[in-house]
Amino acid sequence: MNQPVPFGAGPAAGRGDLVEIVRDVAHGDKQAFSVLYDALAPLVFGIVTKVVRDRAQSEEVAQEVMIDLWRQAARYRPDAGSVTTWAATIAHRRAVDRVRSAQAATDREQAQAAREHTTAFDEVAEQVETRLESEQVRRCLRGLTELQRQAVTLAYYRGLTYREVAEALRTPLPTIKTRMRDGLIRLRDCMGVTT
């Protein structure tokens, strides 16, 4: 039982010996695991390498598979298949999981980069649009009469009410309302706003 099982030994002898070894591993026998490791590591590494295709990651995944074999030895059922089939299935699943995980991480990074790029572009576009609109408003304000410009500026840039604008300019309230109305109509026309 302490002799290593040669990998690829005859089907009947190899299968029976590996089943016994897995049973011993299930009971925590470290020597049996060493034998199991020597027997299955090349197979596991070969399967993982074919799927993962990166040697460093394949080595890591193969080690994880061997740890899984140690932990899951009690779950092995000989009637479900040979030890090598069981190990190969676990190796293939682990390798596929690693590839999918790596792809998902790449997809997330690309999506994040796209969101950041889009956000940066949108911020620049918004700043440009705001600047252009501000320049258009200033140009249109220059097209108002001085009295209209004063009333509109006090109301919209300083936040004063009609009554407060009338008091600030010492002008009757109806006159301020007329100036504001006429000024806003001219601004609307200049800005190209349709009602």
Side-chain angles (χ1 to χ4, degrees):
M1 188 63 85
N2 290 335
Q3 296 296 321
V5 175
F7 186 69
R15 177 181 159 90
D17 290 345
L18 285 178
V19 170
E20 289 300 318
I21 291 170
V22 170
R23 284 187 188 140
D24 291 343
V25 169
H27 294 311
D29 185 337
K30 293 178 182 176
Q31 182 63 34
F33 180 69
S34 178
V35 172
L36 185 70
Y37 188 96
D38 291 342
L40 297 179
L43 170 74
V44 166
F45 184 71
I47 291 170
V48 170
T49 302
K50 285 182 181 176
V51 175
V52 175
R53 297 182 184 241
D54 176 75
R55 184 168 180 86
Q57 284 194 33
S58 294
E59 289 172 359
E60 188 177 313
V61 173
Q63 287 295 0
E64 291 170 2
V65 170
M66 296 310 295
I67 292 169
D68 282 350
L69 294 178
W70 168 264
R71 291 179 180 159
Q72 296 180 28
R75 294 183 187 166
Y76 171 69
R77 300 289 172 252
D79 56 334
S82 70
V83 172
T84 54
T85 301
W86 173 63
T89 301
I90 292 173
H92 187 263
R93 286 180 184 160
R94 267 290 187 158
V96 168
D97 287 348
R98 174 61 64 97
V99 170
R100 287 179 179 159
S101 175
Q103 184 60 49
T106 300
D107 292 347
R108 280 191 304 274
E109 289 171 5
Q110 289 175 347
Q112 179 64 29
R115 281 193 300 272
E116 288 172 0
H117 179 70
T118 301
T119 300
F121 174 78
D122 289 345
E123 288 172 7
V124 170
E126 189 174 318
Q127 288 175 359
V128 168
E129 188 175 324
T130 301
R131 197 171 280 161
L132 289 173
E133 287 174 357
S134 296
E135 182 56 39
Q136 185 178 10
V137 168
R138 281 192 290 274
R139 183 177 45 80
C140 290
L141 277 171
R142 286 191 297 265
L144 300 179
T145 67
E146 182 61 32
L147 297 173
Q148 290 171 336
R149 187 172 36 253
Q150 283 178 338
V152 169
T153 301
L154 288 172
Y156 288 95
Y157 288 104
R158 291 201 184 159
L160 300 180
T161 65
Y162 285 128
R163 186 170 307 285
E164 291 169 335
V165 171
E167 290 171 5
L169 296 177
R170 295 190 176 129
T171 307
L173 183 58
T175 304
I176 291 299
K177 287 183 177 181
T178 301
R179 286 181 191 168
M180 293 276 294
R181 186 195 71 226
D182 293 346
L184 290 174
I185 289 170
R186 288 178 78 177
L187 277 175
R188 181 193 66 202
D189 293 344
C190 178
M191 297 285 294
V193 176
T194 58
T195 55

